[in-house]
Amino acid sequence: MFYAVESMSSDLYIDSQNYIGIEKSLENVGNGPYLAIEINKETFYIELKDKNYWSIGRGKDNVLVVPDNCISRNHAILQRTETGEFYLIDLGSRNGTFINGRRVSVPVTLRNGDSITFGKTQIEFYIPSLRNKVVTEKALLLSEKDAQTSSMLERRLMSVVVMDLRNFTALTRQTEEEKLSQMIGHWFRESGQIIRGSGSWVDKYIGDAVMAIWFHHSTKVAQREFLTILQAVYQIYSMTKTLTEEYSLPFELKVGAGMNTGYAMVGNTGSEDNPDFTAIGDTVNTAFRLESATKEVGIDLAIGETSYDYLKKIPLVQKRFQKYTVNLKGYEKAILTYGTTFEALPEVLVSETDSEED
């Protein structure tokens, strides 16, 4: 049995006898995005229209109310951005949210035909405009750079950046769902635009973090490439600061960042119909671990030794970045990292510009 309501107005309601606002025939559903739900071997359809977010859970204050004892009272949010993308955001549910059989954190970009599981309830997401679109913005960008988009893996020199929202779980417990949905959608949308503007793309939305990759030439890497990355990191930090006041959040919204440079394998790790062009290897893993290390040592940005080697000749870098020895999860030996605060980055960026003009 499935119920879908908005507050207590019952805009959408369904049980074994009553069907209000729910379509029983796909022919009655428009050309826009919709959900398909199977109940008692019969499929029902809900058009995703007239809203930008849909809260999902067992509690009757949700837009989509699912009376399933295996889901949380406030389980997840489905968010539509201004660009028409849909994010599914798990709100720290007890039994988790699964997409195509894999448990996910928040947020995840939904694709046409994705199967979503909440507890014992299964829902399928469809967006007809993307039905035949299997090339993502990542693959498009890579093809423009004459990159291989086949299943072959290629070894490339790259810099990987991971940026993570701090205390997001606490925020989900202290913020109204509509406001939280709007804020997280804003953050991921703006972060993606900043990253794309710097010559990269958002490789992954993982939990409350984004991962981006910048490719370098294998024999010659300019310092300016690394300054471009740091500029993007600073812009995301600055954008994040504005959200606290804009959305009247209960505490200041903060981010942490990890950056690592090295060789990794890149290629299409997905299927032909669902490509996932990404990077794998120790360089990527270390970037995630460095971001986590910022919490341990009390800094905002941690970079690996190779990244620092490219940056250290820039004025003020050695003064503003401090050396730390950290123990990273999964690594037998402690490693060196160099860290700083976001507030110190403008000085580094300006000093590099001045030195070039001289």
Side-chain angles (χ1 to χ4, degrees):
M1 186 165 54
F2 179 90
Y3 297 83
V5 302
E6 181 176 6
S7 298
M8 298 302 293
S9 62
S10 297
D11 277 4
L12 300 171
Y13 177 88
I14 184 171
D15 64 13
S16 58
Q17 296 178 337
N18 301 288
Y19 306 99
I20 302 173
I22 304 294
E23 297 294 342
K24 299 181 67 175
S25 172
L26 185 57
E27 295 179 357
N28 296 328
V29 177
N31 294 324
Y34 64 92
L35 301 177
I37 306 151
E38 185 174 326
I39 307 165
N40 297 326
K41 298 183 179 181
E42 188 174 4
T43 302
F44 299 89
Y45 305 94
I46 297 177
E47 288 189 80
L48 299 175
K49 62 180 183 178
D50 303 327
K51 299 178 185 297
N52 288 322
Y53 84 101
W54 293 261
S55 56
I56 303 167
R58 184 163 41 86
K60 288 183 169 48
D61 56 342
N62 290 285
V63 176
L64 300 180
V65 179
V66 185
D68 180 340
N69 291 332
C70 293
I71 77 165
S72 299
R73 182 173 297 277
N74 300 111
H75 196 101
I77 292 174
L78 183 61
Q79 168 76 47
R80 172 165 44 197
T81 70
E82 293 177 357
T83 61
E85 292 180 292
F86 281 79
Y87 294 121
L88 184 64
I89 305 167
D90 186 276
L91 297 176
S93 61
R94 180 183 61 183
N95 292 324
T97 297
F98 295 78
I99 297 180
N100 301 324
R102 298 182 61 182
R103 185 166 184 166
V104 299
S105 190
V106 290
V108 175
T109 304
L110 291 178
R111 298 177 179 178
N112 182 61
D114 277 346
S115 177
I116 308 166
T117 304
F118 307 110
K120 298 179 180 178
T121 303
Q122 185 165 321
I123 301 173
E124 292 184 347
F125 169 83
Y126 293 99
I127 181 165
S129 62
L130 296 181
R131 183 167 293 166
N132 297 318
K133 183 178 179 181
V134 297
V135 181
T136 64
E137 64 180 27
K138 300 180 294 183
L140 286 172
L141 179 60
L142 288 168
S143 64
E144 291 172 0
K145 294 184 176 183
D146 296 322
Q148 296 289 333
T149 57
S150 68
S151 59
M152 288 180 57
L153 292 177
E154 182 182 4
R155 189 170 182 265
R156 295 287 299 271
L157 179 63
M158 67 185 69
S159 288
V160 181
V161 170
V162 176
M163 296 197 72
D164 173 75
L165 282 171
R166 294 285 189 256
N167 300 318
F168 187 74
T169 300
L171 190 65
T172 64
R173 297 170 179 168
Q174 300 180 43
T175 308
E176 296 175 358
E177 291 178 359
E178 180 176 1
K179 182 186 296 185
L180 180 69
S181 174
Q182 293 172 349
M183 185 280 296
I184 192 66
H186 186 157
W187 189 77
F188 278 96
R189 183 174 62 253
E190 292 295 320
S191 296
Q193 290 176 356
I194 291 170
I195 290 169
R196 285 191 294 271
S198 68
S200 180
W201 76 89
V202 177
D203 183 86
K204 282 183 174 63
Y205 294 104
I206 304 175
D208 46 7
V210 293
M211 167 187 160
I213 296 171
W214 284 262
F215 288 127
H216 303 298
H217 193 279
S218 60
T219 58
K220 183 179 180 181
V221 182
Q223 291 178 344
R224 168 52 60 181
E225 297 178 48
F226 288 88
L227 268 297
T228 298
I229 298 172
L230 291 185
Q231 181 67 48
V233 169
Y234 182 75
Q235 288 176 337
I236 293 176
Y237 154 73
S238 298
M239 176 271 295
T240 304
K241 284 188 63 177
T242 67
L243 300 185
T244 301
E245 183 175 351
E246 181 173 348
Y247 290 94
S248 301
L249 300 178
F251 53 82
E252 184 179 2
L253 192 64
K254 296 182 178 181
V255 290
M259 172 180 172
N260 193 40
T261 303
Y263 283 91
M265 302 302 292
V266 293
N268 181 12
T269 60
S271 65
E272 181 179 354
D273 293 331
N274 192 18
D276 185 13
F277 205 99
T278 189
I280 55 176
D282 187 65
T283 296
V284 178
N285 296 337
T286 301
F288 279 91
R289 301 304 187 211
L290 288 173
E291 188 282 319
S292 296
T294 61
K295 307 169 189 176
E296 177 185 338
V297 298
I299 54 178
D300 296 325
L301 168 64
I303 67 176
E305 283 191 88
T306 303
S307 301
Y308 182 78
D309 287 341
Y310 284 107
L311 286 164
K312 64 184 180 183
K313 293 183 180 180
I314 297 173
L316 291 183
V317 165
Q318 294 189 46
K319 183 176 180 180
R320 297 306 180 199
F321 280 79
Q322 304 297 316
K323 182 192 297 186
Y324 299 89
T325 301
V326 294
N327 293 294
L328 303 183
K329 183 178 179 180
Y331 290 74
E332 296 180 358
K333 297 181 180 180
I335 70 167
L336 290 179
T337 185
Y338 296 82
T340 189
T341 63
F342 291 133
E343 289 81 0
L345 289 182
E347 294 182 69
V348 173
L349 298 170
V350 171
S351 70
E352 191 273 343
T353 301
D354 291 344
S355 67
E356 285 192 342
E357 293 176 351
D358 293 337

